[in-house]
Amino acid sequence: MKKVDFLLQLDLLVGLLASLTALFFRNYLTDFWIGFFEGIALTLLIFWLIAKVILLLRKYDKAHRNST
């Protein structure tokens, strides 16, 4: 589980860096590159949210199985 948590943190960090790159370098990048970095950030954020929901569902399912 530690490996999964590390990968999720890395995913969130890369998404944040891509978003900040698009934000802070907006004056120096073309519209294509701004969209590219924002697309990466959005894709990674969606992946992170889906993975967190799956992990929470597994956790509650495991707790439910142990209680019965």
Side-chain angles (χ1 to χ4, degrees):
M1 203 51 115
K2 290 182 181 183
K3 185 176 183 179
V4 172
D5 290 335
F6 171 74
L7 291 176
L8 286 176
Q9 288 177 354
L10 183 65
D11 171 56
L12 196 59
L13 179 66
V14 171
L16 181 64
L17 288 176
S19 178
L20 291 175
T21 300
L23 179 67
F24 288 126
F25 296 108
R26 186 170 298 274
N27 295 331
Y28 306 108
L29 296 173
T30 62
D31 288 341
F32 170 78
W33 287 109
I34 292 171
F36 178 75
F37 285 121
E38 288 176 349
I40 289 174
L42 185 61
T43 303
L44 291 175
L45 177 64
I46 290 170
F47 171 75
W48 181 81
L49 287 172
I50 291 170
K52 280 302 229 184
V53 167
I54 290 171
L55 287 175
L56 284 173
L57 289 174
R58 281 186 181 176
K59 179 181 172 184
Y60 290 126
D61 183 49
K62 191 180 291 186
H64 177 70
R65 285 183 187 180
N66 289 339
S67 67
T68 57

